[in-house]
Amino acid sequence: MANRQKEKVRKKKNHKILKCLCAIAALMIILYLALVNFLVSAALVPSFMRKLESFERITNESYEAQVHTSDIKVNRQLVLNEVNEWLEIAEGQKISAKTEDGYTLIAKEFFADNDSHKWVLLLHGYTGWKEEMYPFAYWYHEQNYHVIVPDLRCQGESEGDFIGMGWTDHYDCERWINYILSCDPDSQIVIHGQSMGAATSLMMTGEEKLSDHIKAVVSDCAYTDAYSMFGEKIKDWFHLPAFPLVDSACVMLRLRGGYNLKDASAINAVRKSSTPTLFIHGDADALISVQMTKDLYEAANCQKELLIVEGAGHAQAQDKDPGTYYGTVEAFLDNYINE
């Protein structure tokens, strides 16, 4: 009888322990999912990022990681002065487009001569906005290109839920291509992107139904894939381990944002690309390794060129050596764009 009572007490005690352990495990899972959800919002939802001031912090850290030599500063200021003068007289308009999921995207269009069939789509980077690409707009306009400069979804004036890391963006940009074709059925289109915008342009080239009117891409400091990028940046920005957080973030983003970071792979896209592509990167880039562009160049299954600019940080190649940068772009495009 006593043994039975002891057994009963032991089972009851074990049951309580098991319940306690299950409760702790459930709490840990809830806290982990909350952390993953928080990280997804802190990295990909600008409105949430601003509340946390992570948007400003990431921007400041990115700026600090740049190369701050006098030649870059002088060249940057000179071009900004020229751009500001140009903007006072440039003819253009704001245009809009609707995404498949109902968001309104905004872009600025700059007009070229009516007889020109040359067009360029300029794509900015992560947490950026269209005005950052105006120096490129100015240069292309001087070459008699019609220019379209959009705010990518969820950034600048464009609506959205999550920053697309190139994946949702490369579908969104089809709207701008369709707009160009509606304006000019004989258009010859260049896509020129920086950073996330460059990755977006490369993802576009991997699509089977890519328009024949897209004649060339200029990819400036692209990443190979968003999954690898976030693996690095979670450690840099939030001081947390990449595994298993990034894989969990992929699942959370799929549920909340409708895409997976692993989808956003520029390197997979260029393996299928037949669009001539100029790959550019600065060898002092502390944000996206120059090796990523070298890997993209090696993987690309298209006509291609590679330009590595010595001493240039992230998205600084055009300011470090503007003569080489724009001279290389011009010579490359001359091979594929007719006057």
Side-chain angles (χ1 to χ4, degrees), residues 23-59:
I24 292 171
L27 179 61
M28 294 294 290
I29 290 170
I30 290 169
L31 290 174
Y32 178 76
L33 291 175
L35 173 62
V36 172
N37 190 53
F38 174 85
L39 288 174
V40 168
S41 296
L44 295 173
V45 181
S47 58
F48 189 79
M49 295 166 74
R50 290 187 184 94
K51 289 178 184 176
L52 291 177
E53 298 184 351
S54 61
F55 194 100
E56 182 178 352
R57 180 172 58 81
I58 289 170
T59 301

mmCIF file of all heavy atoms in Angstrom, residues 23-59:
data_model
loop_
_atom_site.group_PDB
_atom_site.id
_atom_site.type_symbol
_atom_site.label_atom_id
_atom_site.label_comp_id
_atom_site.label_asym_id
_atom_site.label_seq_id
_atom_site.Cartn_x
_atom_site.Cartn_y
_atom_site.Cartn_z
ATOM 1 N N ALA A 23 5.689 24.253 -20.242
ATOM 2 C CA ALA A 23 5.366 25.680 -20.161
ATOM 3 C C ALA A 23 6.586 26.537 -20.471
ATOM 4 O O ALA A 23 6.499 27.540 -21.183
ATOM 5 C CB ALA A 23 4.807 26.010 -18.775
ATOM 6 N N ILE A 24 7.741 26.101 -19.916
ATOM 7 C CA ILE A 24 8.987 26.834 -20.186
ATOM 8 C C ILE A 24 9.341 26.765 -21.668
ATOM 9 O O ILE A 24 9.712 27.766 -22.285
ATOM 10 C CB ILE A 24 10.138 26.273 -19.325
ATOM 11 C CG1 ILE A 24 9.886 26.589 -17.846
ATOM 12 C CG2 ILE A 24 11.481 26.835 -19.781
ATOM 13 C CD1 ILE A 24 10.850 25.891 -16.905
ATOM 14 N N ALA A 25 9.188 25.566 -22.260
ATOM 15 C CA ALA A 25 9.486 25.393 -23.681
ATOM 16 C C ALA A 25 8.567 26.247 -24.546
ATOM 17 O O ALA A 25 9.005 26.892 -25.504
ATOM 18 C CB ALA A 25 9.358 23.921 -24.069
ATOM 19 N N ALA A 26 7.273 26.255 -24.186
ATOM 20 C CA ALA A 26 6.307 27.071 -24.935
ATOM 21 C C ALA A 26 6.660 28.548 -24.832
ATOM 22 O O ALA A 26 6.595 29.289 -25.821
ATOM 23 C CB ALA A 26 4.896 26.817 -24.409
ATOM 24 N N LEU A 27 7.050 28.961 -23.613
ATOM 25 C CA LEU A 27 7.439 30.362 -23.419
ATOM 26 C C LEU A 27 8.680 30.707 -24.242
ATOM 27 O O LEU A 27 8.744 31.777 -24.869
ATOM 28 C CB LEU A 27 7.686 30.625 -21.934
ATOM 29 C CG LEU A 27 8.126 32.050 -21.569
ATOM 30 C CD1 LEU A 27 7.049 33.053 -21.965
ATOM 31 C CD2 LEU A 27 8.430 32.145 -20.074
ATOM 32 N N MET A 28 9.651 29.799 -24.251
ATOM 33 C CA MET A 28 10.873 30.012 -25.026
ATOM 34 C C MET A 28 10.567 30.124 -26.525
ATOM 35 O O MET A 28 11.129 30.972 -27.222
ATOM 36 C CB MET A 28 11.867 28.875 -24.778
ATOM 37 C CG MET A 28 12.406 28.819 -23.356
ATOM 38 S SD MET A 28 13.426 30.245 -22.933
ATOM 39 C CE MET A 28 14.878 29.933 -23.937
ATOM 40 N N ILE A 29 9.659 29.272 -26.998
ATOM 41 C CA ILE A 29 9.277 29.310 -28.418
ATOM 42 C C ILE A 29 8.589 30.630 -28.734
ATOM 43 O O ILE A 29 8.878 31.272 -29.758
ATOM 44 C CB ILE A 29 8.362 28.114 -28.762
ATOM 45 C CG1 ILE A 29 9.165 26.809 -28.730
ATOM 46 C CG2 ILE A 29 7.726 28.301 -30.145
ATOM 47 C CD1 ILE A 29 8.308 25.554 -28.820
ATOM 48 N N ILE A 30 7.689 31.052 -27.847
ATOM 49 C CA ILE A 30 6.984 32.323 -28.059
ATOM 50 C C ILE A 30 7.966 33.483 -28.075
ATOM 51 O O ILE A 30 7.889 34.366 -28.939
ATOM 52 C CB ILE A 30 5.913 32.526 -26.961
ATOM 53 C CG1 ILE A 30 4.769 31.521 -27.156
ATOM 54 C CG2 ILE A 30 5.370 33.950 -26.986
ATOM 55 C CD1 ILE A 30 3.808 31.463 -25.990
ATOM 56 N N LEU A 31 8.912 33.469 -27.122
ATOM 57 C CA LEU A 31 9.919 34.545 -27.069
ATOM 58 C C LEU A 31 10.807 34.522 -28.303
ATOM 59 O O LEU A 31 11.149 35.579 -28.859
ATOM 60 C CB LEU A 31 10.761 34.401 -25.801
ATOM 61 C CG LEU A 31 10.046 34.716 -24.477
ATOM 62 C CD1 LEU A 31 10.955 34.391 -23.299
ATOM 63 C CD2 LEU A 31 9.613 36.178 -24.437
ATOM 64 N N TYR A 32 11.159 33.319 -28.765
ATOM 65 C CA TYR A 32 12.000 33.205 -29.963
ATOM 66 C C TYR A 32 11.260 33.725 -31.191
ATOM 67 O O TYR A 32 11.825 34.484 -31.995
ATOM 68 C CB TYR A 32 12.418 31.749 -30.171
ATOM 69 C CG TYR A 32 13.255 31.534 -31.410
ATOM 70 C CD1 TYR A 32 14.596 31.912 -31.418
ATOM 71 C CD2 TYR A 32 12.714 30.977 -32.558
ATOM 72 C CE1 TYR A 32 15.375 31.738 -32.550
ATOM 73 C CE2 TYR A 32 13.483 30.794 -33.692
ATOM 74 C CZ TYR A 32 14.811 31.176 -33.687
ATOM 75 O OH TYR A 32 15.570 31.004 -34.818
ATOM 76 N N LEU A 33 9.989 33.329 -31.340
ATOM 77 C CA LEU A 33 9.200 33.794 -32.480
ATOM 78 C C LEU A 33 9.013 35.310 -32.428
ATOM 79 O O LEU A 33 9.031 35.990 -33.465
ATOM 80 C CB LEU A 33 7.844 33.088 -32.513
ATOM 81 C CG LEU A 33 7.883 31.596 -32.854
ATOM 82 C CD1 LEU A 33 6.482 30.995 -32.740
ATOM 83 C CD2 LEU A 33 8.446 31.369 -34.256
ATOM 84 N N ALA A 34 8.855 35.833 -31.209
ATOM 85 C CA ALA A 34 8.734 37.289 -31.050
ATOM 86 C C ALA A 34 10.020 37.978 -31.479
ATOM 87 O O ALA A 34 9.994 39.040 -32.127
ATOM 88 C CB ALA A 34 8.395 37.630 -29.598
ATOM 89 N N LEU A 35 11.165 37.389 -31.125
ATOM 90 C CA LEU A 35 12.459 37.943 -31.529
ATOM 91 C C LEU A 35 12.602 37.929 -33.049
ATOM 92 O O LEU A 35 13.014 38.925 -33.650
ATOM 93 C CB LEU A 35 13.591 37.146 -30.884
ATOM 94 C CG LEU A 35 15.017 37.506 -31.343
ATOM 95 C CD1 LEU A 35 15.346 38.947 -31.005
ATOM 96 C CD2 LEU A 35 16.035 36.543 -30.736
ATOM 97 N N VAL A 36 12.248 36.799 -33.676
ATOM 98 C CA VAL A 36 12.345 36.688 -35.131
ATOM 99 C C VAL A 36 11.432 37.700 -35.795
ATOM 100 O O VAL A 36 11.816 38.392 -36.747
ATOM 101 C CB VAL A 36 12.000 35.255 -35.586
ATOM 102 C CG1 VAL A 36 11.911 35.188 -37.106
ATOM 103 C CG2 VAL A 36 13.043 34.268 -35.070
ATOM 104 N N ASN A 37 10.209 37.816 -35.291
ATOM 105 C CA ASN A 37 9.249 38.772 -35.828
ATOM 106 C C ASN A 37 9.779 40.194 -35.690
ATOM 107 O O ASN A 37 9.664 41.018 -36.611
ATOM 108 C CB ASN A 37 7.913 38.628 -35.104
ATOM 109 C CG ASN A 37 6.805 39.404 -35.769
ATOM 110 O OD1 ASN A 37 6.555 39.265 -36.967
ATOM 111 N ND2 ASN A 37 6.129 40.240 -34.999
ATOM 112 N N PHE A 38 10.374 40.477 -34.537
ATOM 113 C CA PHE A 38 10.967 41.790 -34.282
ATOM 114 C C PHE A 38 12.088 42.078 -35.275
ATOM 115 O O PHE A 38 12.174 43.170 -35.839
ATOM 116 C CB PHE A 38 11.496 41.840 -32.854
ATOM 117 C CG PHE A 38 12.258 43.090 -32.510
ATOM 118 C CD1 PHE A 38 11.594 44.227 -32.084
ATOM 119 C CD2 PHE A 38 13.647 43.125 -32.629
ATOM 120 C CE1 PHE A 38 12.296 45.388 -31.771
ATOM 121 C CE2 PHE A 38 14.356 44.267 -32.319
ATOM 122 C CZ PHE A 38 13.676 45.411 -31.895
ATOM 123 N N LEU A 39 12.964 41.101 -35.500
ATOM 124 C CA LEU A 39 14.093 41.303 -36.414
ATOM 125 C C LEU A 39 13.628 41.540 -37.845
ATOM 126 O O LEU A 39 14.188 42.387 -38.551
ATOM 127 C CB LEU A 39 15.032 40.090 -36.355
ATOM 128 C CG LEU A 39 15.869 39.938 -35.091
ATOM 129 C CD1 LEU A 39 16.625 38.620 -35.106
ATOM 130 C CD2 LEU A 39 16.833 41.107 -34.940
ATOM 131 N N VAL A 40 12.608 40.796 -38.279
ATOM 132 C CA VAL A 40 12.074 40.992 -39.624
ATOM 133 C C VAL A 40 11.558 42.420 -39.775
ATOM 134 O O VAL A 40 11.852 43.109 -40.766
ATOM 135 C CB VAL A 40 10.956 39.970 -39.930
ATOM 136 C CG1 VAL A 40 10.188 40.354 -41.194
ATOM 137 C CG2 VAL A 40 11.557 38.573 -40.084
ATOM 138 N N SER A 41 10.810 42.900 -38.797
ATOM 139 C CA SER A 41 10.283 44.269 -38.841
ATOM 140 C C SER A 41 11.401 45.300 -38.749
ATOM 141 O O SER A 41 11.386 46.316 -39.438
ATOM 142 C CB SER A 41 9.276 44.487 -37.706
ATOM 143 O OG SER A 41 8.146 43.670 -37.861
ATOM 144 N N ALA A 42 12.388 45.020 -37.886
ATOM 145 C CA ALA A 42 13.480 45.975 -37.668
ATOM 146 C C ALA A 42 14.389 46.110 -38.881
ATOM 147 O O ALA A 42 15.098 47.110 -39.028
ATOM 148 C CB ALA A 42 14.305 45.552 -36.451
ATOM 149 N N ALA A 43 14.381 45.118 -39.761
ATOM 150 C CA ALA A 43 15.257 45.154 -40.936
ATOM 151 C C ALA A 43 14.521 45.447 -42.233
ATOM 152 O O ALA A 43 15.140 45.899 -43.201
ATOM 153 C CB ALA A 43 15.994 43.816 -41.076
ATOM 154 N N LEU A 44 13.190 45.210 -42.258
ATOM 155 C CA LEU A 44 12.487 45.265 -43.542
ATOM 156 C C LEU A 44 11.217 46.108 -43.551
ATOM 157 O O LEU A 44 10.589 46.237 -44.611
ATOM 158 C CB LEU A 44 12.132 43.836 -43.996
ATOM 159 C CG LEU A 44 13.317 42.928 -44.315
ATOM 160 C CD1 LEU A 44 12.846 41.505 -44.583
ATOM 161 C CD2 LEU A 44 14.106 43.461 -45.502
ATOM 162 N N VAL A 45 10.830 46.690 -42.431
ATOM 163 C CA VAL A 45 9.639 47.543 -42.401
ATOM 164 C C VAL A 45 10.063 48.956 -42.006
ATOM 165 O O VAL A 45 10.291 49.235 -40.820
ATOM 166 C CB VAL A 45 8.587 46.999 -41.401
ATOM 167 C CG1 VAL A 45 7.337 47.892 -41.399
ATOM 168 C CG2 VAL A 45 8.217 45.566 -41.754
ATOM 169 N N PRO A 46 10.205 49.865 -42.973
ATOM 170 C CA PRO A 46 10.739 51.203 -42.673
ATOM 171 C C PRO A 46 9.995 51.952 -41.579
ATOM 172 O O PRO A 46 10.622 52.631 -40.761
ATOM 173 C CB PRO A 46 10.624 51.916 -44.020
ATOM 174 C CG PRO A 46 10.790 50.833 -45.027
ATOM 175 C CD PRO A 46 10.066 49.658 -44.421
ATOM 176 N N SER A 47 8.662 51.848 -41.531
ATOM 177 C CA SER A 47 7.915 52.568 -40.493
ATOM 178 C C SER A 47 8.309 52.071 -39.100
ATOM 179 O O SER A 47 8.465 52.863 -38.160
ATOM 180 C CB SER A 47 6.409 52.405 -40.716
ATOM 181 O OG SER A 47 6.043 51.030 -40.704
ATOM 182 N N PHE A 48 8.484 50.762 -38.958
ATOM 183 C CA PHE A 48 8.911 50.180 -37.688
ATOM 184 C C PHE A 48 10.369 50.536 -37.405
ATOM 185 O O PHE A 48 10.745 50.814 -36.256
ATOM 186 C CB PHE A 48 8.728 48.662 -37.730
ATOM 187 C CG PHE A 48 8.938 47.975 -36.411
ATOM 188 C CD1 PHE A 48 7.949 47.981 -35.448
ATOM 189 C CD2 PHE A 48 10.130 47.313 -36.134
ATOM 190 C CE1 PHE A 48 8.131 47.344 -34.217
ATOM 191 C CE2 PHE A 48 10.319 46.669 -34.915
ATOM 192 C CZ PHE A 48 9.320 46.696 -33.957
ATOM 193 N N MET A 49 11.182 50.532 -38.448
ATOM 194 C CA MET A 49 12.591 50.870 -38.297
ATOM 195 C C MET A 49 12.761 52.292 -37.771
ATOM 196 O O MET A 49 13.626 52.565 -36.936
ATOM 197 C CB MET A 49 13.323 50.713 -39.629
ATOM 198 C CG MET A 49 13.385 49.276 -40.142
ATOM 199 S SD MET A 49 13.889 49.168 -41.869
ATOM 200 C CE MET A 49 15.645 49.530 -41.744
ATOM 201 N N ARG A 50 11.906 53.203 -38.251
ATOM 202 C CA ARG A 50 12.007 54.593 -37.799
ATOM 203 C C ARG A 50 11.616 54.724 -36.335
ATOM 204 O O ARG A 50 12.220 55.509 -35.596
ATOM 205 C CB ARG A 50 11.131 55.487 -38.679
ATOM 206 C CG ARG A 50 11.674 55.653 -40.091
ATOM 207 C CD ARG A 50 10.888 56.681 -40.894
ATOM 208 N NE ARG A 50 11.390 56.739 -42.259
ATOM 209 C CZ ARG A 50 10.870 56.041 -43.274
ATOM 210 N NH1 ARG A 50 9.819 55.250 -43.059
ATOM 211 N NH2 ARG A 50 11.379 56.134 -44.479
ATOM 212 N N LYS A 51 10.612 53.969 -35.920
ATOM 213 C CA LYS A 51 10.216 53.999 -34.510
ATOM 214 C C LYS A 51 11.352 53.522 -33.610
ATOM 215 O O LYS A 51 11.561 54.028 -32.518
ATOM 216 C CB LYS A 51 8.982 53.121 -34.291
ATOM 217 C CG LYS A 51 7.698 53.692 -34.877
ATOM 218 C CD LYS A 51 6.534 52.745 -34.659
ATOM 219 C CE LYS A 51 5.272 53.268 -35.326
ATOM 220 N NZ LYS A 51 4.142 52.312 -35.198
ATOM 221 N N LEU A 52 12.066 52.516 -34.073
ATOM 222 C CA LEU A 52 13.198 51.983 -33.300
ATOM 223 C C LEU A 52 14.466 52.808 -33.465
ATOM 224 O O LEU A 52 15.455 52.571 -32.781
ATOM 225 C CB LEU A 52 13.518 50.557 -33.761
ATOM 226 C CG LEU A 52 12.528 49.446 -33.449
ATOM 227 C CD1 LEU A 52 13.023 48.148 -34.054
ATOM 228 C CD2 LEU A 52 12.347 49.291 -31.956
ATOM 229 N N GLU A 53 14.414 53.730 -34.434
ATOM 230 C CA GLU A 53 15.598 54.488 -34.855
ATOM 231 C C GLU A 53 16.647 53.588 -35.480
ATOM 232 O O GLU A 53 17.812 53.978 -35.607
ATOM 233 C CB GLU A 53 16.197 55.282 -33.689
ATOM 234 C CG GLU A 53 15.245 56.316 -33.112
ATOM 235 C CD GLU A 53 15.873 57.156 -32.021
ATOM 236 O OE1 GLU A 53 17.004 56.832 -31.593
ATOM 237 O OE2 GLU A 53 15.242 58.133 -31.606
ATOM 238 N N SER A 54 16.256 52.359 -35.862
ATOM 239 C CA SER A 54 17.211 51.470 -36.520
ATOM 240 C C SER A 54 17.497 51.941 -37.944
ATOM 241 O O SER A 54 18.589 51.725 -38.470
ATOM 242 C CB SER A 54 16.698 50.028 -36.540
ATOM 243 O OG SER A 54 15.489 49.906 -37.242
ATOM 244 N N PHE A 55 16.496 52.595 -38.559
ATOM 245 C CA PHE A 55 16.690 53.134 -39.907
ATOM 246 C C PHE A 55 17.851 54.136 -39.894
ATOM 247 O O PHE A 55 18.782 54.055 -40.697
ATOM 248 C CB PHE A 55 15.396 53.816 -40.377
ATOM 249 C CG PHE A 55 15.341 54.119 -41.836
ATOM 250 C CD1 PHE A 55 14.651 53.288 -42.706
ATOM 251 C CD2 PHE A 55 15.965 55.237 -42.355
ATOM 252 C CE1 PHE A 55 14.587 53.567 -44.057
ATOM 253 C CE2 PHE A 55 15.912 55.536 -43.700
ATOM 254 C CZ PHE A 55 15.217 54.687 -44.555
ATOM 255 N N GLU A 56 17.779 55.062 -38.930
ATOM 256 C CA GLU A 56 18.827 56.078 -38.806
ATOM 257 C C GLU A 56 20.157 55.447 -38.406
ATOM 258 O O GLU A 56 21.217 55.820 -38.914
ATOM 259 C CB GLU A 56 18.407 57.125 -37.778
ATOM 260 C CG GLU A 56 19.403 58.263 -37.612
ATOM 261 C CD GLU A 56 18.936 59.303 -36.614
ATOM 262 O OE1 GLU A 56 17.763 59.218 -36.168
ATOM 263 O OE2 GLU A 56 19.743 60.166 -36.252
ATOM 264 N N ARG A 57 20.097 54.475 -37.493
ATOM 265 C CA ARG A 57 21.334 53.832 -37.037
ATOM 266 C C ARG A 57 22.023 53.077 -38.167
ATOM 267 O O ARG A 57 23.243 53.171 -38.338
ATOM 268 C CB ARG A 57 21.019 52.871 -35.877
ATOM 269 C CG ARG A 57 22.240 52.147 -35.329
ATOM 270 C CD ARG A 57 21.885 51.381 -34.070
ATOM 271 N NE ARG A 57 20.832 50.418 -34.292
ATOM 272 C CZ ARG A 57 21.038 49.209 -34.822
ATOM 273 N NH1 ARG A 57 22.251 48.832 -35.192
ATOM 274 N NH2 ARG A 57 20.033 48.364 -34.990
ATOM 275 N N ILE A 58 21.243 52.325 -38.941
ATOM 276 C CA ILE A 58 21.819 51.586 -40.067
ATOM 277 C C ILE A 58 22.409 52.546 -41.090
ATOM 278 O O ILE A 58 23.493 52.324 -41.632
ATOM 279 C CB ILE A 58 20.753 50.674 -40.715
ATOM 280 C CG1 ILE A 58 20.430 49.504 -39.779
ATOM 281 C CG2 ILE A 58 21.226 50.146 -42.062
ATOM 282 C CD1 ILE A 58 19.228 48.680 -40.211
ATOM 283 N N THR A 59 21.678 53.657 -41.342
ATOM 284 C CA THR A 59 22.176 54.667 -42.283
ATOM 285 C C THR A 59 23.493 55.263 -41.792
ATOM 286 O O THR A 59 24.447 55.419 -42.558
ATOM 287 C CB THR A 59 21.136 55.787 -42.480
ATOM 288 O OG1 THR A 59 19.921 55.211 -42.989
ATOM 289 C CG2 THR A 59 21.637 56.836 -43.451
#
